[in-house]
């Protein structure tokens, strides 16, 4: 961390001292406020223009959204994100930018600065971490301009979830550089899925302003609710797993953040998408290998963080 400039060290200290959950609560409250009908469309149009949001993809016209939060969590038109139906592929779980991809090594994910965090820390489940050690992973950053619903990379069965409390640091490039292992420090919600690529974990990482994640397959999950505000890890395993199709909706971010998908070792070969590539939900991002065969990351898939 000695390579940080004085300004970056000050920013790091400031964020560490910031009451992140209180700040996120204020941001969330403001976003949930209903806008007067007379200014609703013009306000949301200005917001969309500032962040480069394609409003033509939205499910509803701008005036039909009550406020910023409802617009931010908007669904898209049914034809806006076709799901790749090619047999034997896995698809991107979210819109955004490819930040990092590689193989989990020795139970660790090594980030672009060479620092590492363990899979067990990220998932808060030693058994799941052991089952995924050596598997392919991909990190996608969702900026304010992106669609903020997260989907299944393959068809299968949701066997359970883990909620892990944590900090709410921003997840942009500067913050990730300042705060090593940030993704294993911030609050996160993990969906565990079994399918044709074996087992995988889809991790939704919260950030400042995003202390609110909901699960589309389980109405119990609303991470801003009182039941989730007791600073302890929650686990849930379904006695009867929940079926989901490739591209089926898993959850919703109530502002921008990050997804991390980790696959069972030897089961997925990721396509050669260089970091910085645009990710689109439903687009093929890798190929499923037969059980027992080896899978790898294609050459040229180095690591880079994005702004």
């Amino acid at each position: 961390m000695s390579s940080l400039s004085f300004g970056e060290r000050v920013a790091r200290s400031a964020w560490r001292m910031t009451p992140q959950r209180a700040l996120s609560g204020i941001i969330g409250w403001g976003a949930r406020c209903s806008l007067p009908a007379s200014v609703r469309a013009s306000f949301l149009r200005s917001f969309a223009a500032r962040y480069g949001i394609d409003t033509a993809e939205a499910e509803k016209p701008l005036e039909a959204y009550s406020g910023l939060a409802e617009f931010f969590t908007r669904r898209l038109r049914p034809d806006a994100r076709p799901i790749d139906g090619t047999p034997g592929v896995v698809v991107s779980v979210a819109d955004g930018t490819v930040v990092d991809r590689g193989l989990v090594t020795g139970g660790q994910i090594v980030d672009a600065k060479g620092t590492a965090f363990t899979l067990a820390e990220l998932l808060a489940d030693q058994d799941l971490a052991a089952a995924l050690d050596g598997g392919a992973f991909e990190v996608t950053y969702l900026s304010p301009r992106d669609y903020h619903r997260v989907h299944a990379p393959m068809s299968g069965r949701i066997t359970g979830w883990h909620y892990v409390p944590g900090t709410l640091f921003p997840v942009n490039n500067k913050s990730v550089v300042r705060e090593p292992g940030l993704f294993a420090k911030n609050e996160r919600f993990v969906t565990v899925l079994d399918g044709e690529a074996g087992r995988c974990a889809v991790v939704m990482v919260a950030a400042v302003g995003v202390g609110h994640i909901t699960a589309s397959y389980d109405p119990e999950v609303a991470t801003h609710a009182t039941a989730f505000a007791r600073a302890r890890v929650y686990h849930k395993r379904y006695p009867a797993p929940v079926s989901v199709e490739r591209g089926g909706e898993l959850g919703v971010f109530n502002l921008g953040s990050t997804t991390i998908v980790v696959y069972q070792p030897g089961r997925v070969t990721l396509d050669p998408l260089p970091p910085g590539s645009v990710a689109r939900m439903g687009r093929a991002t890798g190929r499923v290998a037969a059980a027992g065969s080896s899978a790898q990351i294609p050459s040229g898939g180095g690591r880079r963080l994005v702004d």
Side-chain angles (χ1 to χ4, degrees), residues 118-137:
T118 71
L119 199 54
E121 289 170 338
L122 178 71
L123 303 176
D125 185 316
Q126 294 282 354
D127 292 337
L128 180 59
L132 301 182
D133 188 9
F137 73 88

Side-chain angles (χ1 to χ4, degrees), residues 136-180:
F137 73 88
E138 183 166 33
V139 183
T140 303
Y141 168 66
L142 288 71
S143 75
R145 68 176 176 270
D146 293 312
Y147 165 66
H148 278 81
R149 291 175 182 254
V150 177
H151 296 252
M154 60 182 176
S155 297
R157 301 179 306 159
I158 299 168
T159 60
W161 53 258
H162 310 301
Y163 165 73
V164 192
T167 56
L168 292 173
F169 290 114
V171 292
N172 58 23
N173 180 45
K174 291 181 180 179
S175 187
V176 172
V177 170
R178 287 194 301 260
E179 201 64 51

Side-chain angles (χ1 to χ4, degrees), residues 35 46 50 53 122 134-135 160 170 172 180 208 232 295:
L35 295 170
S46 296
R50 177 176 180 180
I53 298 170
L122 178 71
N172 58 23
V208 63
R232 66 183 180 90

Side-chain angles (χ1 to χ4, degrees), residues 77-290:
R77 296 190 332 263
D79 61 344
R81 293 291 181 276
I83 308 301
D84 193 315
T86 305
V89 303
V90 292
V91 301
S92 178
V93 302
D95 281 9
T97 304
V98 176
V99 173
D100 205 2
R101 60 208 324 262
L103 295 177
V104 180
T105 304
Q108 293 186 322
I109 292 177
V110 181
D111 68 22
K113 297 298 289 183
T115 58
F117 56 90
T118 71
L119 199 54
E121 289 170 338
L122 178 71
L123 303 176
D125 185 316
Q126 294 282 354
D127 292 337
L128 180 59
L132 301 182
D133 188 9
F137 73 88
E138 183 166 33
V139 183
T140 303
Y141 168 66
L142 288 71
S143 75
R145 68 176 176 270
D146 293 312
Y147 165 66
H148 278 81
R149 291 175 182 254
V150 177
H151 296 252
M154 60 182 176
S155 297
R157 301 179 306 159
I158 299 168
T159 60
W161 53 258
H162 310 301
Y163 165 73
V164 192
T167 56
L168 292 173
F169 290 114
V171 292
N172 58 23
N173 180 45
K174 291 181 180 179
S175 187
V176 172
V177 170
R178 287 194 301 260
E179 201 64 51
L182 184 152
F183 298 135
K185 295 177 179 178
N186 271 14
E187 178 182 81
R188 51 212 179 273
F189 180 77
V190 183
T191 296
V192 185
L193 175 64
D194 286 345
E196 62 178 327
R199 177 154 291 186
C200 82
V202 180
V203 185
M204 299 174 67
V205 183
V208 63
V210 200
H212 182 184
I213 294 171
T214 53
S216 305
Y217 56 85
D218 191 334
E220 176 186 345
V221 178
T223 62
H224 68 302
T226 302
F228 286 83
R230 296 172 184 157
R232 66 183 180 90
V233 176
Y234 287 87
H235 301 280
K236 183 172 183 177
R237 181 175 292 277
Y238 296 112
V242 180
S243 295
V244 65
E245 295 298 319
R246 183 191 301 175
E249 189 177 297
L250 297 180
V252 184
F253 279 125
N254 288 261
L255 284 182
S257 198
T258 297
T259 63
I260 304 174
V261 184
V262 187
Y263 294 100
Q264 187 174 324
R267 298 303 302 274
V268 169
T269 299
L270 295 178
D271 291 341
L273 299 174
S277 297
V278 173
R280 282 290 176 267
M281 191 282 292
R283 183 183 295 171
T285 190
R287 301 291 183 271
V288 180

